[in-house]
Amino acid sequence: MSRRRTLSTRKKLALLVSAAAVAGGGAFALAATSNAASVQNAQDSTVCQGLATALGNNQKFIDGQRANPDAQSAARIANREAVIAQIKVQQKASGCAVGESAQGSQTATQPAQSAPAQSAPAQSAPAQTAPANNAGGGGAATGQQVCAGSTVTLSGEGGAPAASSNQFPAGTKLKVTNLDNNKSTTVQVTSVSGSCALLNNAAFEQVREPGKFLIRRALIEKVG
């Protein structure tokens, strides 16, 4: 009888340990799933999309400098790597996937949705848009709308309000209007980037909507 009771007790203990292990594993899996779900990517969040686009723009600029280096490339690359590090800090603070980069697909598909909304303010100068695009933007006359359909985001760089561009030389003045809140800023291009108009932090603050890192409906004009 004593031996049978001992065996029975051992079986009960084994069952309890097994049940506890299963419950613990389930709790761990649930916690892991919860943590994974809390991280957002560019498709889930406008904030994350803007940061991913900014990171991608800077990475594209660095790749271009490495492919065609000059005497200033090392300094430019170091500067942009510092910008990328700051963007990753912002991604983490915003609950985004750290290091996520968006180039091409994100920036190409989003403007297609925004373009119909932008066509209204551009009605007064429909013929000017095509020449500006055919000339790559850089050859546009003063006062013309340029880069129709482009989204605008921030570079993560500090300093006075300024912009960087892949179509306009340093010294060009661009007026960027956020059509979602009708706020505008006029900035001077000071460096090269991977997009038509990439605003630094100070310039972006002048036209942004609270909590957003991407302007989907932007009107960009060359004013000087």
Side-chain angles (χ1 to χ4, degrees):
M1 287 294 292
S2 176
R3 186 176 179 182
R4 287 180 181 177
R5 286 178 182 174
T6 302
L7 289 173
S8 178
T9 302
R10 287 178 179 173
K11 286 181 180 179
K12 289 179 180 179
L13 286 172
L15 288 171
L16 287 171
V17 170
S18 176
V22 171
F28 178 79
L30 182 62
T33 303
S34 176
N35 289 337
S38 66
V39 177
Q40 296 180 310
N41 58 34
Q43 295 178 341
D44 300 327
S45 164
T46 302
V47 171
C48 296
Q49 183 185 29
L51 290 170
T53 302
L55 195 151
N57 285 336
N58 282 282
Q59 286 179 330
K60 184 176 180 180
F61 175 82
I62 290 174
D63 292 341
Q65 289 293 305
R66 286 175 175 162
N68 299 286
D70 57 34
Q72 300 298 320
S73 289
R76 295 193 192 105
I77 290 172
N79 176 267
R80 292 309 175 98
E81 286 176 340
V83 170
I84 287 175
Q86 181 58 35
I87 292 172
K88 288 181 178 179
V89 170
Q90 294 176 350
Q91 284 179 322
K92 183 176 181 180
S94 301
C96 306
V98 177
E100 183 181 20
S101 171
Q103 266 297 330
S105 60
Q106 292 274 338
T107 51
T109 55
Q110 289 296 337
Q113 299 173 355
S114 320
Q118 280 187 290
S119 59
Q123 289 294 333
S124 58
Q128 294 176 343
T129 341
N133 286 336
N134 292 338
T142 299
Q144 281 191 342
Q145 178 187 349
V146 294
C147 307
S150 291
T151 55
V152 176
T153 185
L154 76 168
S155 66
E157 296 178 319
S164 55
S165 176
N166 64 353
Q167 299 189 29
F168 299 98
T172 304
K173 288 186 178 180
L174 299 176
K175 180 181 179 181
V176 178
T177 303
N178 183 347
L179 296 176
D180 288 325
N181 59 13
N182 292 320
K183 290 184 177 180
S184 299
T185 182
T186 299
V187 291
Q188 190 173 65
V189 174
T190 59
S191 59
V192 180
S193 69
S195 59
C196 173
L198 189 64
L199 301 179
N200 70 354
N201 289 351
F204 196 81
E205 284 296 330
Q206 295 178 345
V207 293
R208 76 183 301 171
E209 290 185 278
K212 293 187 178 181
F213 291 87
L214 180 70
I215 301 173
R216 291 180 176 176
R217 298 178 60 239
L219 175 64
I220 307 172
E221 300 167 276
K222 180 180 177 183
V223 295

